[in-house]
Amino acid sequence: MNDKKSFYITTTLPYVNALPHIGFAMELIRADVIARWKKSQGFNVFFNTGTDEHGQKILDNANTANLEVQKYVDGYAQNFKNLIPLLGISSDVNFIRTTDERHIKSAQEFWNKCMTNGDIYKKNYSIKYCVGCELEKTDSELEKNRCLIHPNLELEVREEENYFFRFSKYQKPLLDLYKAHSDFVVPDFRFNEIKAFVERGLEDFSISRLKSKMSWGISVPRDEDHVMYVWFDALINYISTLGWPENEAQFIDFWINGNPTQYAGKDNLRQQSAMWQAMLLSADLPNSHQIVINGFINSGGQKMSKSLGNVINPTEVVEKYGSEALRYFVCRELSTFEDSDFTWERFNEAYNAGLANGIGNLTSRILTMSEKHLDALIVQHQMLNIEAELEKFELAKAMNAIWERIGELDKKIQETEPFKLVKTEPEKAKEIISELVAGLGGVASALMPFMPETAEKILKYIKANKKPSEPLFLRKDA
């Protein structure tokens, strides 16, 4: 019998209308860090990611590319799946696609539950619609009649008969949920944003499209004239990936008992922490446990966009610096919750300072002395306690604590100079070197969820009492 505690974590599902960018790579890496850490704590972890593949933008792009839409999404979905080995993501991560048959069945069953509970109805409506967001926009979300997130796109005015979800019904239940769970959304300033949004009042939102106008979606149960709105369909992936409703045991294990945790970007705040939570309440299902909201990655002070030509492809970063360097950068050098800036110059500086001259140089110095002066190496690693930071998803603080320890070990070498002391006080020198190895082992162990390949290399060298055969990180020119 498996008596392990369960833990569930998921990224959002990126929309397959473009190649993967560094913003999603950051989200995937950070979720992987938490998944790896929870496993190390003895949890049975279900880690989910995947791709969102329905909607107007997908259909338009496939038509523009003169491709059958399923072939179009198959190609793009593979690009995102390739991120898993590229970024050193846990090999047992689950990958759900919203075109999977299991997801389609789950979405239709979820619709039926909301319909049975009186939360889905039909009406004619006219809205201002942003194709970029695939969302309706209220006047308060617009500036000069343009979407704040996609100001380059003209809004569409849409008039048609659609199915609607009774979002307005869930204002009080959502506020009650937020009150009962003081850290439901992390960080707190994002939590304040969504509470303010719900407090202003909620409007029912459209959850279907006429198939005659937009055919690429999941068919609405018992109404072949409509397909589900992409956001309604996509959010359900968080439980369809668990096999809901058929796989009741897995659903109970991970969604009900696994503290389901969702990583998302700040542009997903409303969808993850309000819309999805209302949908779960409607379907009589438990809410998420926590929503963790990242900031955006800008490039040279500007929002990344294809038109500006400043989009950073994670594949390019990995090809030049390696996956461990990218994992280091997004966990330590980028703000955990605020917007951050990426430039190649900044990345190169961080790489050389933190990796080549930091952990790489320290490992070489300590293990060179150890190999030369310690015969039998039996060292108890000096473990670092970064659990409090990880519990709060404060990855940069955790990484800074590790690098503070690296600095302390460097300082100890400079102050004690055991490589000189060995000539006059060999036993004292050996004692200091043993302490340095113990400290390095603690650093490597703490690094395991963040930079698993590097951590494993260091621990392997310590066990063998051998200095690295080559530098962990070669210095690079910008």
Side-chain angles (χ1 to χ4, degrees), residues 167 204 267-268 302 323 326 362 389 391 423 425 444:
F167 198 29
D204 298 351
D267 55 339
N268 260 256
Q302 293 180 301
S323 62
L326 180 54
L362 180 72
E389 290 84 356
E391 285 284 0
K423 297 174 183 176
E425 297 183 60

Side-chain angles (χ1 to χ4, degrees), residues 74-94:
D74 286 347
Y76 271 98
Q78 189 59 47
N79 289 323
F80 283 91
K81 202 167 188 178
N82 291 342
L83 287 179
I84 293 170
L86 180 80
L87 303 177
I89 303 302
S90 305
S91 59
D92 59 351
V93 63
N94 189 72

Side-chain angles (χ1 to χ4, degrees), residues 297-470:
I297 301 180
N298 299 320
S299 179
Q302 293 180 301
K303 188 176 186 291
M304 288 190 191
S305 74
K306 287 180 284 186
S307 60
L308 290 174
N310 63 352
V311 174
I312 302 296
N313 187 326
T315 302
E316 189 179 356
V317 180
V318 172
E319 285 174 351
K320 186 171 182 181
Y321 291 93
S323 62
E324 293 283 279
L326 180 54
R327 291 177 71 99
Y328 165 81
F329 189 81
V330 303
C331 290
R332 184 178 184 220
E333 300 292 338
L334 298 181
S335 172
T336 303
F337 303 122
E338 301 276 9
D339 290 359
S340 299
D341 202 58
F342 180 107
T343 63
W344 285 105
E345 293 78 12
R346 184 185 172 198
F347 191 99
N348 194 77
E349 287 173 9
Y351 172 91
N352 285 330
L355 298 179
N357 296 343
I359 184 64
N361 185 54
L362 180 72
T363 299
S364 179
R365 293 179 78 189
I366 291 175
L367 291 179
T368 296
M369 291 187 289
S370 175
E371 181 181 356
K372 189 173 182 180
H373 301 296
L374 299 184
D375 298 325
L377 191 60
I378 303 173
V379 175
Q380 185 72 36
H381 295 170
Q382 295 170 359
M383 305 305 289
L384 278 167
N385 187 352
I386 53 174
E387 285 189 26
E389 290 84 356
L390 289 171
E391 285 284 0
K392 295 178 181 177
F393 307 96
E394 295 272 13
L395 303 193
K397 284 185 179 179
M399 287 287 269
N400 285 338
I402 296 171
W403 256 259
E404 186 178 326
R405 182 67 176 133
I406 288 170
E408 290 170 355
L409 294 171
D410 261 328
K411 186 178 180 182
K412 183 165 188 161
I413 295 172
Q414 292 165 8
E415 291 178 346
T416 61
E417 296 185 319
F419 47 87
K420 292 182 181 178
L421 193 63
V422 74
K423 297 174 183 176
T424 56
E425 297 183 60
E427 292 308 312
K428 179 67 173 175
K430 289 180 181 180
E431 181 183 329
I432 293 170
I433 295 169
S434 293
E435 290 172 358
L436 290 167
V437 174
L440 181 63
V443 164
S445 297
L447 268 182
M448 192 65 78
F450 299 93
M451 300 170 63
E453 185 182 319
T454 300
E456 285 169 5
K457 281 182 182 178
I458 295 171
L459 292 173
K460 178 183 173 184
Y461 287 128
I462 290 175
K463 186 175 181 180
N465 196 25
K466 296 285 185 184
K467 65 178 181 290
S469 53
E470 58 185 29

Side-chain angles (χ1 to χ4, degrees), residues 211-222:
K211 192 176 286 188
S212 59
K213 293 184 179 181
M214 208 293 292
S215 60
W216 185 240
I218 297 174
S219 293
V220 167
R222 298 176 299 281

Side-chain angles (χ1 to χ4, degrees), residues 32 71 75 83 91 104 114 156 162 165 169 171 173 185 192 205 211 236 259 355 359 369 387 433 453-454:
D32 184 56
K71 285 187 177 180
L83 287 179
S91 59
I104 292 169
C114 295
E156 293 184 7
N162 283 174
F165 177 75
K169 172 181 170 182
Q171 181 185 26
V185 176
N192 290 336
F205 59 86
K211 192 176 286 188
I236 299 163
N259 287 343
L355 298 179
I359 184 64
M369 291 187 289
E387 285 189 26
I433 295 169
E453 185 182 319
T454 300

Side-chain angles (χ1 to χ4, degrees), residues 184-246:
F184 182 70
V185 176
V186 178
D188 56 1
F189 64 87
R190 296 293 178 209
F191 199 12
N192 290 336
E193 282 181 34
I194 197 61
K195 284 189 280 192
F197 170 78
V198 175
E199 284 166 356
R200 287 194 295 269
L202 302 175
E203 295 183 9
D204 298 351
F205 59 86
S206 168
I207 57 171
S208 77
R209 298 291 180 262
L210 283 170
K211 192 176 286 188
S212 59
K213 293 184 179 181
M214 208 293 292
S215 60
W216 185 240
I218 297 174
S219 293
V220 167
R222 298 176 299 281
D223 191 339
E224 286 301 314
D225 292 335
H226 286 258
V227 296
M228 291 184 198
Y229 163 59
V230 62
W231 271 109
F232 189 88
D233 135 36
L235 290 166
I236 299 163
N237 92 85
Y238 301 127
I239 59 173
S240 70
T241 192
L242 295 170
W244 181 86
E246 286 87 0

